[in-house]
Amino acid sequence: SDHVSFLALCSIPAASISARGAPGTAYHSLYDDLAWYRRVVGEDYESARLIARITAVAVDRASTAPILPIDLGRPARALSRAARELLEAEPELFGPAGLEAVIGRAEEQAAAAEVLTDRLRAAARSGVLDDARCRLADELLRGLERAWLIESGLPGRPWYRNLYTAPDESSGYAAWPLPGLQKAAVEGDKRIAREQVEHLGAVLQRRSGCLGALRVLIETSTER
């Protein structure tokens, strides 16, 4: 939906914030005006007020943190989990494609990245990383997110370039984790399966480069 151009096209992290509790319920329509809102959703604006507060806190924390508040290990952990489910569901398709090896690399990367997350945040909070090094760390953190992009796009859907997640092909709302592998599973296509496994291996390699640079940044900063 609204997040797709950010996440699926550019691999910019996105969040959907919602709330319930107002007397009425609603969805998009031609009649979304203030009078309609007061009559259907409610005059107290509590849901809207809650969303505004949550958004303000999230923006404030993200903008004032010494470095971008990104979990380094969770994406690799999610890759491992989603890939494992697909491998178990389609062993004859993904086994020969080498998905097990990618899963192993992802789990190793996740474990190392989780340790690095704590070190990086501690270094930023303690002032070990000066402003210039914090900016460099942010660039590397953005690089971790962009590592999921593939210029040629997903199979049959070149506009969608994020190998981490994309909307499913039918509804456009349900999330497809590892959409390239999902496409291979839907079509039972061994060629797509091999190609997408190779692409995920390249993603892990790019992420490994960013993580290594972050590790060096911390180590050289603490030696000063």
Side-chain angles (χ1 to χ4, degrees):
S1 190
D2 299 338
H3 66 280
V4 166
S5 58
F6 297 97
L7 183 60
L9 176 63
C10 301
S11 197
I12 297 173
S16 178
I17 304 173
S18 61
R20 303 187 181 201
T25 58
Y27 199 63
H28 311 304
S29 78
L30 297 174
Y31 308 102
D32 294 359
D33 59 19
L34 191 58
W36 172 90
Y37 184 97
R38 288 171 172 161
R39 183 173 64 254
V40 177
V41 181
E43 296 185 0
D44 58 11
Y45 295 97
E46 281 303 318
S47 295
R49 184 179 292 115
L50 176 62
I51 294 299
R53 288 171 173 168
I54 293 172
T55 302
V57 170
V59 170
D60 177 68
R61 290 184 177 179
S63 62
T64 59
I67 57 172
L68 293 171
I70 293 175
D71 189 319
L72 306 183
R74 183 173 294 182
R77 192 72 71 190
L79 188 163
S80 170
R81 182 171 58 252
R84 179 73 66 187
E85 291 176 358
L86 285 165
L87 179 60
E88 291 174 354
E90 301 284 351
E92 295 182 1
L93 179 63
F94 293 117
L99 188 54
E100 183 70 50
V102 169
I103 292 171
R105 289 174 60 190
E107 290 174 349
E108 291 175 1
Q109 185 174 108
E114 286 161 2
V115 174
L116 187 60
T117 296
D118 295 335
R119 292 182 60 195
L120 181 61
R121 290 176 179 173
R125 286 194 302 267
S126 66
V128 168
L129 298 179
D130 58 21
D131 289 345
R133 284 178 169 80
C134 282
R135 287 193 295 272
L136 179 55
D138 281 347
E139 285 298 317
L140 292 168
L141 290 169
R142 280 188 281 267
L144 281 171
E145 297 298 325
R146 305 301 187 271
W148 294 96
L149 291 175
I150 179 169
E151 192 63 33
S152 59
L154 298 177
R157 296 196 293 171
W159 190 86
Y160 296 87
R161 303 190 303 150
N162 192 332
L163 292 169
Y164 184 69
T165 186
D168 70 318
E169 290 188 329
S170 56
S171 73
Y173 278 89
W176 258 10
L178 309 184
L181 297 185
Q182 299 281 0
K183 175 72 170 180
V186 166
E187 299 195 356
D189 193 310
K190 294 182 179 180
R191 180 187 61 82
I192 294 177
R194 284 195 309 272
E195 289 178 350
Q196 294 303 308
V197 168
E198 290 175 2
H199 290 327
L200 289 176
V203 167
L204 290 173
Q205 188 65 32
R206 292 193 291 271
R207 285 179 54 84
S208 179
C210 291
L211 292 169
L214 283 169
R215 189 176 299 107
V216 170
L217 179 65
I218 297 170
E219 291 171 353
T220 56
S221 298
T222 55
E223 291 171 358
R224 288 188 301 144

